[in-house]
């Protein structure tokens, strides 16, 4: 799990969490990039860990926002 997702180790969880919530759309972009770069499907839990320990509910809400964005295209 987690192989091939990101060639660079993610920063410390606290710093990552703070950065992801400061800019609108940052979490969406990070999640989308992770999904595109993954070599296999990732669970909500795996995405949460990869994105610095975000709450599973926050990951689910962001996935739903991405789904709605792409459904409207």
């Amino acid at each position: 799990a987690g192989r091939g997702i990101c060639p660079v180790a993610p920063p410390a969880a606290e710093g990552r969490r703070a950065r992801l919530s400061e800019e609108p759309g940052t979490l969406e972009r990070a999640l989308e990039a992770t999904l595109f770069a993954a070599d296999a499907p990732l669970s909500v839990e795996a995405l949460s860990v990869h994105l610095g320990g975000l709450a599973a509910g926050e990951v689910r809400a962001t996935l739903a926002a991405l789904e709605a964005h792409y459904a409207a295209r």
Side-chain angles (χ1 to χ4, degrees):
R3 297 180 293 115
I5 294 174
C6 182
V8 178
E14 289 305 313
R16 170 63 71 82
R17 250 184 257 125
R19 261 197 327 278
L20 289 175
S21 14
E22 287 172 5
E23 291 182 39
T26 301
L27 178 54
E28 289 85 355
R29 289 191 303 271
L31 184 55
E32 184 176 43
T34 301
L35 291 170
F36 280 122
D39 58 358
L42 297 170
S43 67
V44 168
E45 292 76 18
L47 290 166
S48 174
V49 169
H50 181 74
L51 295 170
L54 295 172
E58 191 171 359
V59 172
R60 283 187 187 94
T62 305
L63 286 169
L66 284 172
E67 180 180 18
H69 170 76
Y70 281 107
R73 291 180 126 193

